[in-house]
Amino acid sequence: MKRLIATGERARPVEFAEDAQPVPAADEALVRVEAFSVNRGETFLLENPRPDLRPGKDVAGLVVRAAADGSGPGVGMRVVGHPPCGGWAEYVAVPTHSLAVLPPAIGSTEAAALPLAGLTALRMLRTAGAVAGRRLLLTGASGGVGHYLTELAAAAGAEITVVTASPERGRRLAELGADVVHDLGETRGPFDVVLESTGGTALPVALSKLAAGGMLIWFGQASRTPATLDFFDFFNGPEGAVIRHFHYAGAPYGPDLDTLVTLVGSGRLHPEIGRVADWADTATVLVDLRERRVRGKAVLTVGGPR
C-alpha cells in the first residue's frame, strides 16, 4: 500500500512510499482511509522527523477488518477515528475505543476534520467549566480548534471574544457569534476564562486580561516563541486567579467522537474546512498550513472526493 513519510525537507515535507498493510492488534479495526486531516502541530514534527515517524491522527473511512476481540464497528461500517499514528496512508489500524460510526449524512471529508481539533475544543470547554453568561477570550482563534470552540461556547451561552490576525481569518468566527479583534492588547477585559494558544509575548498580555477568580488555560505555543511570565505581576493582579496547562490527549476517544458526530449530524456543529485536496498534494497543503495560508481545517482525500 501507499503511505506518506517524512522527508525532512522544508519545501516538500512528505513523499509517497510503499509499505506493508498494517496488521491490527486484537482490539484494533483495519480502516481503509478515505480522507484525513492535517494539523499545524504536525507540520512542526516534520521539520526534524524521527526515523520511525508515521504521521496521521485524524482519519475517516471504511472498516475492512473488524477487531478480532469482537469490539467496535463491523466490516463495511463508515467510521471516523483518532489513531495514535499512521493515518496518512491507504490503510490504518485504529483502536476500537477511538472510533465512532458515521451516519450516512456525514461524508468522510467532513468527518476527517473532526478528531484532534474537535476533541481539543470539546475537552477544553469541559476544563473551563460552565460558560453560560461568562466572558471568554480566545487567542490564535482562526484554526480548527478556534472555530469548533467558538461555536460550542457561543451555543452554551458564553460571550466570546477571539483574536485573529486579519478580518478575513475572523469572518466565519464572527458569523458563529464571536466578537473578533485583531490586537490582543485592544481586547476589553476582564474575562472570566482566557484560552491562550499563541505563547511568546501574547501570554503575559492575555493574563493581564483575566478577571479576579478567573482561569487562564494555556494550550499551545503557535508563535513558537517561549513565553516569560513575571509572577509578581500575576500575584499583584487578579485575586484568586488560576493558570492551568491543557492538553487534549487521553484515550478512549470514541465517546467524545460520538458526541462530535452527533452535534454535526444535528446541525449544531459545523466543521470549518478551508482546504480540500487530493492526497497527492499533501506536501503543498502542509506548507500552506504551516505558513498560515489555510483558515480552519485542511483535509486530504484518498482516492477522490468523499
Side-chain angles (χ1 to χ4, degrees):
M1 70 165 193
K2 288 183 179 179
R3 79 159 60 252
L4 288 163
I5 61 170
T7 65
E9 299 175 8
R10 187 169 177 82
R12 187 170 180 78
V14 293
E15 64 184 9
F16 282 113
E18 290 294 328
D19 197 4
Q21 194 176 97
V23 178
D27 64 345
E28 294 179 331
L30 185 65
V31 176
R32 187 178 72 212
V33 179
E34 296 178 344
F36 61 85
S37 68
V38 293
N39 300 284
R40 192 161 181 263
E42 290 169 317
T43 70
F44 304 150
L45 295 177
L46 294 169
E47 293 178 357
N48 186 25
R50 304 187 315 269
D52 62 344
L53 178 65
R54 292 292 182 267
K57 297 173 70 68
D58 293 356
V59 302
L62 190 73
V63 174
V64 295
R65 187 187 305 172
D69 66 2
S71 65
V75 172
M77 290 186 174
R78 298 175 56 252
V79 293
V80 58
H82 193 53
C85 62
W88 300 355
E90 291 181 294
Y91 295 88
V92 62
V94 187
T96 56
H97 60 58
S98 295
L99 288 169
V101 175
L102 293 172
I106 300 180
S108 295
T109 298
E110 188 176 27
L114 285 173
L116 192 150
L119 290 166
T120 300
L122 187 66
R123 292 181 171 189
M124 187 154 48
L125 276 178
R126 289 185 187 140
T127 299
V131 297
R134 304 180 78 194
R135 300 192 69 203
L136 273 61
L137 172 65
L138 172 65
T139 66
S142 60
V145 173
H147 283 85
Y148 287 133
L149 198 147
T150 296
E151 187 167 16
L152 291 170
E159 180 183 337
I160 183 165
T161 298
V162 302
V163 183
T164 67
S166 67
E168 172 57 26
R169 293 181 73 83
R171 177 183 55 79
R172 177 59 178 157
L173 293 163
E175 294 173 357
L176 293 172
D179 178 21
V180 181
V181 299
H182 312 298
D183 184 336
L184 177 58
E186 294 180 359
T187 56
R188 296 182 178 179
F191 296 93
D192 302 298
V193 179
V194 174
L195 308 164
E196 211 294 292
S197 66
T198 306
T201 58
L203 182 55
V205 177
L207 183 59
S208 72
K209 304 292 183 176
L210 195 60
M215 178 188 297
L216 183 143
I217 301 174
W218 179 75
F219 69 102
Q221 192 162 292
S223 68
R224 309 188 72 185
T225 304
T228 300
L229 291 179
D230 185 332
F231 275 87
F232 288 102
D233 286 345
F234 176 57
F235 292 132
N236 290 328
E239 184 177 351
V242 172
I243 299 176
R244 176 167 180 173
H245 175 251
F246 170 86
H247 190 250
Y248 84 98
Y253 299 108
D256 283 343
L257 288 174
D258 271 326
T259 297
L260 294 167
V261 168
T262 298
L263 289 169
V264 173
S266 62
R268 290 178 288 169
L269 187 66
H270 301 83
E272 181 66 18
I273 301 175
R275 182 81 59 86
V276 178
D278 185 88
W279 73 321
D281 297 323
T282 302
T284 299
V285 173
L286 285 167
V287 171
D288 286 346
L289 186 65
R290 184 188 68 214
E291 301 303 322
R292 296 184 178 277
R293 293 192 285 263
V294 178
R295 177 171 52 84
K297 295 292 296 177
V299 178
L300 289 307
T301 59
V302 180
R306 302 281 181 171

